[in-house]
Short mmCIF file of all heavy atoms in Angstrom, two decimals:
data_model
loop_
_atom_site.label_atom_id
_atom_site.label_comp_id
_atom_site.label_asym_id
_atom_site.label_seq_id
_atom_site.Cartn_x
_atom_site.Cartn_y
_atom_site.Cartn_z
N MET A 1 0.86 -1.17 0.00
CA MET A 1 0.00 0.00 0.00
C MET A 1 0.90 1.23 0.00
O MET A 1 1.84 1.31 0.79
CB MET A 1 -0.88 -0.04 1.23
CG MET A 1 -1.87 1.08 1.33
SD MET A 1 -3.25 1.00 0.19
CE MET A 1 -4.06 -0.49 0.69
N THR A 2 0.59 2.16 -0.85
CA THR A 2 1.33 3.42 -0.86
C THR A 2 0.36 4.57 -0.66
O THR A 2 -0.78 4.53 -1.11
CB THR A 2 2.07 3.64 -2.20
OG1 THR A 2 1.13 3.67 -3.26
CG2 THR A 2 3.09 2.55 -2.45
N VAL A 3 0.83 5.58 0.06
CA VAL A 3 0.07 6.82 0.23
C VAL A 3 0.96 7.93 -0.33
O VAL A 3 2.10 8.08 0.09
CB VAL A 3 -0.27 7.09 1.70
CG1 VAL A 3 -0.95 8.44 1.85
CG2 VAL A 3 -1.15 5.99 2.27
N GLU A 4 0.44 8.65 -1.30
CA GLU A 4 1.21 9.69 -1.98
C GLU A 4 0.38 10.95 -2.12
O GLU A 4 -0.85 10.92 -2.04
CB GLU A 4 1.63 9.22 -3.37
CG GLU A 4 2.47 7.97 -3.37
CD GLU A 4 2.72 7.45 -4.77
OE1 GLU A 4 1.91 7.74 -5.68
OE2 GLU A 4 3.72 6.74 -4.94
N TRP A 5 1.06 12.04 -2.39
CA TRP A 5 0.43 13.32 -2.68
C TRP A 5 0.34 13.47 -4.19
O TRP A 5 1.33 13.34 -4.90
CB TRP A 5 1.23 14.47 -2.08
CG TRP A 5 0.74 15.82 -2.49
CD1 TRP A 5 1.37 16.69 -3.33
CD2 TRP A 5 -0.48 16.47 -2.09
NE1 TRP A 5 0.61 17.83 -3.48
CE2 TRP A 5 -0.53 17.72 -2.72
CE3 TRP A 5 -1.53 16.10 -1.26
CZ2 TRP A 5 -1.59 18.60 -2.55
CZ3 TRP A 5 -2.59 16.99 -1.09
CH2 TRP A 5 -2.60 18.23 -1.73
N ASP A 6 -0.85 13.72 -4.71
CA ASP A 6 -1.06 13.98 -6.12
C ASP A 6 -1.17 15.49 -6.29
O ASP A 6 -2.21 16.08 -6.03
CB ASP A 6 -2.33 13.28 -6.60
CG ASP A 6 -2.59 13.45 -8.08
OD1 ASP A 6 -2.09 14.43 -8.69
OD2 ASP A 6 -3.31 12.60 -8.65
N ALA A 7 -0.08 16.10 -6.71
CA ALA A 7 -0.03 17.56 -6.81
C ALA A 7 -0.96 18.10 -7.90
O ALA A 7 -1.46 19.21 -7.78
CB ALA A 7 1.41 18.01 -7.08
N VAL A 8 -1.20 17.31 -8.94
CA VAL A 8 -2.08 17.75 -10.02
C VAL A 8 -3.51 17.90 -9.53
O VAL A 8 -4.18 18.90 -9.79
CB VAL A 8 -2.00 16.78 -11.22
CG1 VAL A 8 -3.02 17.15 -12.28
CG2 VAL A 8 -0.59 16.76 -11.81
N ARG A 9 -3.98 16.90 -8.79
CA ARG A 9 -5.35 16.93 -8.28
C ARG A 9 -5.45 17.57 -6.90
O ARG A 9 -6.55 17.87 -6.44
CB ARG A 9 -5.93 15.51 -8.23
CG ARG A 9 -6.04 14.87 -9.60
CD ARG A 9 -6.79 13.57 -9.58
NE ARG A 9 -6.20 12.60 -8.68
CZ ARG A 9 -6.84 11.56 -8.20
NH1 ARG A 9 -8.10 11.34 -8.50
NH2 ARG A 9 -6.25 10.70 -7.40
N GLY A 10 -4.33 17.76 -6.25
CA GLY A 10 -4.34 18.34 -4.91
C GLY A 10 -4.96 17.42 -3.88
O GLY A 10 -5.66 17.88 -2.97
N LEU A 11 -4.67 16.11 -4.01
CA LEU A 11 -5.25 15.12 -3.11
C LEU A 11 -4.19 14.14 -2.64
O LEU A 11 -3.22 13.87 -3.35
CB LEU A 11 -6.34 14.32 -3.83
CG LEU A 11 -7.57 15.07 -4.31
CD1 LEU A 11 -8.43 14.16 -5.18
CD2 LEU A 11 -8.37 15.60 -3.13
N HIS A 12 -4.42 13.57 -1.48
CA HIS A 12 -3.63 12.44 -1.01
C HIS A 12 -4.29 11.20 -1.59
O HIS A 12 -5.52 11.11 -1.63
CB HIS A 12 -3.64 12.37 0.52
CG HIS A 12 -3.04 13.58 1.15
ND1 HIS A 12 -1.69 13.74 1.32
CD2 HIS A 12 -3.62 14.70 1.64
CE1 HIS A 12 -1.46 14.90 1.89
NE2 HIS A 12 -2.62 15.51 2.09
N VAL A 13 -3.47 10.24 -2.06
CA VAL A 13 -4.00 9.06 -2.72
C VAL A 13 -3.34 7.82 -2.12
O VAL A 13 -2.12 7.76 -2.01
CB VAL A 13 -3.73 9.10 -4.24
CG1 VAL A 13 -4.29 7.86 -4.92
CG2 VAL A 13 -4.32 10.36 -4.86
N ALA A 14 -4.15 6.83 -1.77
CA ALA A 14 -3.66 5.52 -1.35
C ALA A 14 -3.96 4.53 -2.46
O ALA A 14 -5.07 4.53 -3.01
CB ALA A 14 -4.33 5.07 -0.06
N ARG A 15 -2.96 3.72 -2.80
CA ARG A 15 -3.14 2.72 -3.86
C ARG A 15 -2.67 1.37 -3.36
O ARG A 15 -1.58 1.25 -2.80
CB ARG A 15 -2.32 3.09 -5.09
CG ARG A 15 -2.82 4.28 -5.83
CD ARG A 15 -2.00 4.52 -7.10
NE ARG A 15 -2.45 5.72 -7.76
CZ ARG A 15 -1.94 6.93 -7.54
NH1 ARG A 15 -0.96 7.07 -6.68
NH2 ARG A 15 -2.40 7.97 -8.18
N CYS A 16 -3.47 0.36 -3.61
CA CYS A 16 -3.11 -1.01 -3.26
C CYS A 16 -2.45 -1.66 -4.46
O CYS A 16 -3.07 -1.74 -5.53
CB CYS A 16 -4.35 -1.80 -2.83
SG CYS A 16 -3.97 -3.51 -2.44
N ALA A 17 -1.23 -2.12 -4.30
CA ALA A 17 -0.50 -2.75 -5.40
C ALA A 17 -1.03 -4.15 -5.71
O ALA A 17 -0.84 -4.64 -6.81
CB ALA A 17 0.98 -2.84 -5.06
N ARG A 18 -1.73 -4.75 -4.78
CA ARG A 18 -2.21 -6.12 -4.98
C ARG A 18 -3.51 -6.17 -5.77
O ARG A 18 -3.67 -6.99 -6.67
CB ARG A 18 -2.39 -6.80 -3.63
CG ARG A 18 -2.77 -8.24 -3.75
CD ARG A 18 -2.70 -8.97 -2.42
NE ARG A 18 -3.16 -10.32 -2.59
CZ ARG A 18 -4.23 -10.83 -2.00
NH1 ARG A 18 -4.93 -10.10 -1.16
NH2 ARG A 18 -4.58 -12.06 -2.22
N CYS A 19 -4.47 -5.29 -5.44
CA CYS A 19 -5.78 -5.37 -6.11
C CYS A 19 -6.12 -4.12 -6.92
O CYS A 19 -7.19 -4.04 -7.51
CB CYS A 19 -6.88 -5.63 -5.09
SG CYS A 19 -7.27 -4.22 -4.03
N ALA A 20 -5.24 -3.13 -6.94
CA ALA A 20 -5.40 -1.90 -7.72
C ALA A 20 -6.51 -0.99 -7.21
O ALA A 20 -6.90 -0.05 -7.88
CB ALA A 20 -5.60 -2.20 -9.20
N ASP A 21 -7.02 -1.24 -6.02
CA ASP A 21 -8.02 -0.36 -5.43
C ASP A 21 -7.33 0.93 -4.97
O ASP A 21 -6.13 0.93 -4.70
CB ASP A 21 -8.68 -1.05 -4.23
CG ASP A 21 -10.02 -0.46 -3.86
OD1 ASP A 21 -10.46 0.51 -4.52
OD2 ASP A 21 -10.64 -0.97 -2.90
N CYS A 22 -8.07 2.02 -4.94
CA CYS A 22 -7.48 3.27 -4.50
C CYS A 22 -8.52 4.14 -3.79
O CYS A 22 -9.72 3.92 -3.93
CB CYS A 22 -6.85 4.03 -5.66
SG CYS A 22 -8.04 4.59 -6.89
N PHE A 23 -8.01 5.09 -3.04
CA PHE A 23 -8.85 6.02 -2.30
C PHE A 23 -8.14 7.35 -2.28
O PHE A 23 -6.93 7.41 -2.07
CB PHE A 23 -9.07 5.50 -0.88
CG PHE A 23 -9.88 6.43 -0.02
CD1 PHE A 23 -11.26 6.44 -0.11
CD2 PHE A 23 -9.28 7.29 0.88
CE1 PHE A 23 -12.03 7.30 0.68
CE2 PHE A 23 -10.01 8.15 1.67
CZ PHE A 23 -11.39 8.15 1.58
N SER A 24 -8.86 8.44 -2.50
CA SER A 24 -8.25 9.76 -2.48
C SER A 24 -9.10 10.73 -1.68
O SER A 24 -10.32 10.61 -1.62
CB SER A 24 -8.03 10.30 -3.90
OG SER A 24 -9.24 10.36 -4.59
N SER A 25 -8.41 11.68 -1.05
CA SER A 25 -9.08 12.68 -0.23
C SER A 25 -8.12 13.84 -0.01
O SER A 25 -6.90 13.68 -0.10
CB SER A 25 -9.48 12.08 1.12
OG SER A 25 -9.98 13.09 1.98
N SER A 26 -8.67 14.98 0.30
CA SER A 26 -7.82 16.12 0.66
C SER A 26 -7.32 16.00 2.10
O SER A 26 -6.44 16.74 2.52
CB SER A 26 -8.59 17.43 0.47
OG SER A 26 -9.75 17.43 1.27
N HIS A 27 -7.87 15.05 2.84
CA HIS A 27 -7.49 14.84 4.23
C HIS A 27 -6.61 13.60 4.36
O HIS A 27 -7.08 12.47 4.19
CB HIS A 27 -8.73 14.67 5.11
CG HIS A 27 -9.65 15.85 5.04
ND1 HIS A 27 -9.39 17.02 5.71
CD2 HIS A 27 -10.81 16.03 4.37
CE1 HIS A 27 -10.36 17.88 5.45
NE2 HIS A 27 -11.23 17.31 4.64
N VAL A 28 -5.34 13.79 4.67
CA VAL A 28 -4.40 12.68 4.74
C VAL A 28 -4.79 11.65 5.79
O VAL A 28 -4.57 10.45 5.60
CB VAL A 28 -2.94 13.18 4.95
CG1 VAL A 28 -2.76 13.76 6.34
CG2 VAL A 28 -1.95 12.07 4.68
N ASP A 29 -5.40 12.09 6.89
CA ASP A 29 -5.79 11.12 7.92
C ASP A 29 -6.85 10.15 7.41
O ASP A 29 -6.82 8.96 7.75
CB ASP A 29 -6.24 11.82 9.20
CG ASP A 29 -7.38 12.81 8.97
OD1 ASP A 29 -7.48 13.39 7.87
OD2 ASP A 29 -8.17 13.02 9.92
N LEU A 30 -7.76 10.61 6.57
CA LEU A 30 -8.76 9.70 5.98
C LEU A 30 -8.10 8.68 5.05
O LEU A 30 -8.46 7.50 5.04
CB LEU A 30 -9.82 10.49 5.22
CG LEU A 30 -10.73 11.39 6.04
CD1 LEU A 30 -11.66 12.17 5.12
CD2 LEU A 30 -11.52 10.57 7.04
N VAL A 31 -7.13 9.14 4.28
CA VAL A 31 -6.42 8.25 3.35
C VAL A 31 -5.61 7.22 4.13
O VAL A 31 -5.62 6.03 3.80
CB VAL A 31 -5.53 9.07 2.40
CG1 VAL A 31 -4.71 8.16 1.51
CG2 VAL A 31 -6.38 10.01 1.55
N GLU A 32 -4.93 7.66 5.17
CA GLU A 32 -4.15 6.72 5.98
C GLU A 32 -5.05 5.71 6.69
O GLU A 32 -4.69 4.54 6.80
CB GLU A 32 -3.27 7.48 6.97
CG GLU A 32 -2.13 8.21 6.28
CD GLU A 32 -1.33 9.10 7.22
OE1 GLU A 32 -1.82 9.41 8.33
OE2 GLU A 32 -0.21 9.46 6.84
N ASP A 33 -6.21 6.15 7.16
CA ASP A 33 -7.16 5.23 7.79
C ASP A 33 -7.65 4.19 6.79
O ASP A 33 -7.74 3.00 7.10
CB ASP A 33 -8.36 5.98 8.37
CG ASP A 33 -8.03 6.76 9.63
OD1 ASP A 33 -6.94 6.54 10.21
OD2 ASP A 33 -8.86 7.60 10.03
N TRP A 34 -7.97 4.63 5.58
CA TRP A 34 -8.42 3.70 4.55
C TRP A 34 -7.31 2.69 4.25
O TRP A 34 -7.57 1.48 4.16
CB TRP A 34 -8.81 4.44 3.27
CG TRP A 34 -9.30 3.51 2.19
CD1 TRP A 34 -10.57 3.07 2.01
CD2 TRP A 34 -8.52 2.89 1.17
NE1 TRP A 34 -10.63 2.22 0.93
CE2 TRP A 34 -9.39 2.10 0.40
CE3 TRP A 34 -7.17 2.94 0.82
CZ2 TRP A 34 -8.94 1.35 -0.69
CZ3 TRP A 34 -6.74 2.19 -0.27
CH2 TRP A 34 -7.63 1.42 -1.01
N ALA A 35 -6.08 3.17 4.10
CA ALA A 35 -4.96 2.29 3.81
C ALA A 35 -4.75 1.26 4.92
O ALA A 35 -4.46 0.09 4.65
CB ALA A 35 -3.69 3.11 3.60
N ALA A 36 -4.93 1.68 6.15
CA ALA A 36 -4.72 0.78 7.28
C ALA A 36 -5.80 -0.28 7.40
O ALA A 36 -5.54 -1.37 7.92
CB ALA A 36 -4.64 1.60 8.57
N THR A 37 -6.99 0.01 6.92
CA THR A 37 -8.10 -0.93 7.08
C THR A 37 -8.49 -1.64 5.79
O THR A 37 -9.35 -2.53 5.81
CB THR A 37 -9.36 -0.22 7.64
OG1 THR A 37 -9.75 0.81 6.74
CG2 THR A 37 -9.08 0.37 9.02
N HIS A 38 -7.86 -1.29 4.68
CA HIS A 38 -8.20 -1.89 3.38
C HIS A 38 -7.94 -3.39 3.39
O HIS A 38 -6.91 -3.86 3.87
CB HIS A 38 -7.37 -1.24 2.27
CG HIS A 38 -7.48 -1.96 0.97
ND1 HIS A 38 -8.62 -1.94 0.21
CD2 HIS A 38 -6.60 -2.74 0.30
CE1 HIS A 38 -8.43 -2.67 -0.88
NE2 HIS A 38 -7.22 -3.17 -0.84
N ARG A 39 -8.89 -4.12 2.84
CA ARG A 39 -8.73 -5.56 2.64
C ARG A 39 -9.02 -5.85 1.17
O ARG A 39 -10.06 -5.47 0.64
CB ARG A 39 -9.70 -6.36 3.52
CG ARG A 39 -9.51 -6.14 5.00
CD ARG A 39 -8.17 -6.71 5.47
NE ARG A 39 -7.93 -6.40 6.87
CZ ARG A 39 -7.12 -5.45 7.31
NH1 ARG A 39 -6.47 -4.68 6.45
NH2 ARG A 39 -6.93 -5.25 8.58
N CYS A 40 -8.08 -6.51 0.52
CA CYS A 40 -8.23 -6.82 -0.90
C CYS A 40 -9.34 -7.83 -1.13
O CYS A 40 -9.56 -8.73 -0.32
CB CYS A 40 -6.94 -7.42 -1.45
SG CYS A 40 -5.55 -6.30 -1.47
N ASP A 41 -9.98 -7.69 -2.27
CA ASP A 41 -10.90 -8.71 -2.76
C ASP A 41 -10.01 -9.82 -3.33
O ASP A 41 -9.29 -9.61 -4.31
CB ASP A 41 -11.79 -8.10 -3.85
CG ASP A 41 -12.74 -9.10 -4.47
OD1 ASP A 41 -12.31 -10.24 -4.79
OD2 ASP A 41 -13.90 -8.75 -4.66
N ALA A 42 -10.02 -10.98 -2.71
CA ALA A 42 -9.11 -12.07 -3.08
C ALA A 42 -9.28 -12.50 -4.53
O ALA A 42 -8.29 -12.76 -5.23
CB ALA A 42 -9.31 -13.25 -2.15
N GLU A 43 -10.53 -12.57 -5.01
CA GLU A 43 -10.76 -12.99 -6.40
C GLU A 43 -10.22 -11.96 -7.38
O GLU A 43 -9.62 -12.32 -8.39
CB GLU A 43 -12.25 -13.22 -6.63
CG GLU A 43 -12.78 -14.45 -5.93
CD GLU A 43 -14.27 -14.66 -6.19
OE1 GLU A 43 -14.81 -14.05 -7.13
OE2 GLU A 43 -14.87 -15.46 -5.46
N LEU A 44 -10.42 -10.68 -7.09
CA LEU A 44 -9.91 -9.63 -7.97
C LEU A 44 -8.39 -9.64 -7.97
O LEU A 44 -7.77 -9.53 -9.04
CB LEU A 44 -10.43 -8.26 -7.53
CG LEU A 44 -9.90 -7.07 -8.32
CD1 LEU A 44 -10.25 -7.18 -9.81
CD2 LEU A 44 -10.44 -5.78 -7.74
N ALA A 45 -7.77 -9.78 -6.83
CA ALA A 45 -6.31 -9.81 -6.75
C ALA A 45 -5.75 -10.99 -7.53
O ALA A 45 -4.75 -10.86 -8.25
CB ALA A 45 -5.85 -9.86 -5.29
N ALA A 46 -6.38 -12.15 -7.42
CA ALA A 46 -5.93 -13.33 -8.17
C ALA A 46 -6.10 -13.12 -9.67
O ALA A 46 -5.21 -13.49 -10.45
CB ALA A 46 -6.71 -14.56 -7.71
N LEU A 47 -7.20 -12.55 -10.09
CA LEU A 47 -7.43 -12.27 -11.50
C LEU A 47 -6.39 -11.30 -12.05
O LEU A 47 -5.80 -11.51 -13.11
CB LEU A 47 -8.84 -11.73 -11.73
CG LEU A 47 -9.19 -11.33 -13.15
CD1 LEU A 47 -9.13 -12.54 -14.08
CD2 LEU A 47 -10.57 -10.69 -13.19
N LEU A 48 -6.13 -10.22 -11.31
CA LEU A 48 -5.13 -9.25 -11.75
C LEU A 48 -3.75 -9.88 -11.84
O LEU A 48 -2.99 -9.60 -12.78
CB LEU A 48 -5.10 -8.05 -10.81
CG LEU A 48 -6.31 -7.12 -10.91
CD1 LEU A 48 -6.27 -6.09 -9.78
CD2 LEU A 48 -6.33 -6.42 -12.25
N ALA A 49 -3.41 -10.73 -10.88
CA ALA A 49 -2.12 -11.41 -10.93
C ALA A 49 -2.03 -12.34 -12.14
O ALA A 49 -1.00 -12.41 -12.80
CB ALA A 49 -1.89 -12.18 -9.63
N ALA A 50 -3.12 -13.02 -12.46
CA ALA A 50 -3.13 -13.95 -13.60
C ALA A 50 -2.96 -13.22 -14.92
O ALA A 50 -2.20 -13.68 -15.79
CB ALA A 50 -4.43 -14.75 -13.60
N VAL A 51 -3.63 -12.10 -15.09
CA VAL A 51 -3.55 -11.40 -16.38
C VAL A 51 -2.31 -10.51 -16.50
O VAL A 51 -1.98 -10.07 -17.59
CB VAL A 51 -4.82 -10.55 -16.67
CG1 VAL A 51 -6.04 -11.45 -16.73
CG2 VAL A 51 -5.00 -9.44 -15.68
N SER A 52 -1.64 -10.26 -15.39
CA SER A 52 -0.44 -9.40 -15.46
C SER A 52 0.84 -10.22 -15.32
O SER A 52 1.90 -9.68 -15.04
CB SER A 52 -0.50 -8.33 -14.37
OG SER A 52 -0.42 -8.92 -13.09
N GLY A 53 0.74 -11.52 -15.52
CA GLY A 53 1.92 -12.35 -15.47
C GLY A 53 2.45 -12.57 -14.06
O GLY A 53 3.66 -12.71 -13.86
N GLY A 54 1.57 -12.56 -13.08
CA GLY A 54 1.98 -12.85 -11.71
C GLY A 54 2.23 -11.65 -10.85
O GLY A 54 2.41 -11.76 -9.65
N ARG A 55 2.25 -10.47 -11.44
CA ARG A 55 2.43 -9.27 -10.62
C ARG A 55 1.14 -8.47 -10.66
O ARG A 55 0.58 -8.24 -11.73
CB ARG A 55 3.58 -8.40 -11.06
CG ARG A 55 3.99 -8.52 -12.49
CD ARG A 55 5.10 -7.55 -12.83
NE ARG A 55 4.62 -6.48 -13.69
CZ ARG A 55 4.28 -6.64 -14.95
NH1 ARG A 55 4.32 -7.80 -15.52
NH2 ARG A 55 3.88 -5.60 -15.66
N ALA A 56 0.69 -8.10 -9.51
CA ALA A 56 -0.56 -7.33 -9.43
C ALA A 56 -0.36 -5.94 -9.97
O ALA A 56 0.76 -5.51 -10.22
CB ALA A 56 -1.05 -7.28 -7.98
N ALA A 57 -1.47 -5.22 -10.13
CA ALA A 57 -1.44 -3.89 -10.74
C ALA A 57 -0.47 -2.95 -10.08
O ALA A 57 -0.16 -2.98 -8.95
CB ALA A 57 -2.84 -3.27 -10.68
#
């Protein structure tokens, strides 16, 4: 999971490397909370790994 600042949109963004889910907000604490509690959809993560040659999005 990564939390980054998107200067173009002016938002903090969390991205899950395993299932490609993301969350953005102008409030970093909301983004960090989402990142800490995010749970991947196992079927989606497996599908993404299969179509990307074993590496998730």
Side-chain angles (χ1 to χ4, degrees):
M1 183 72 63
T2 60
V3 176
E4 301 173 335
W5 172 250
D6 183 336
V8 174
R9 297 189 302 160
L11 297 171
H12 299 277
V13 180
R15 290 184 184 91
C16 178
R18 185 169 176 244
C19 72
D21 200 359
C22 65
F23 178 80
S24 58
S25 173
S26 59
H27 302 283
V28 69
D29 56 331
L30 293 176
V31 175
E32 289 174 344
D33 287 347
W34 181 87
T37 60
H38 170 71
R39 299 292 175 258
C40 294
D41 177 316
E43 289 180 16
L44 177 59
L47 177 62
L48 288 171
V51 299
S52 66
R55 25 177 251 289

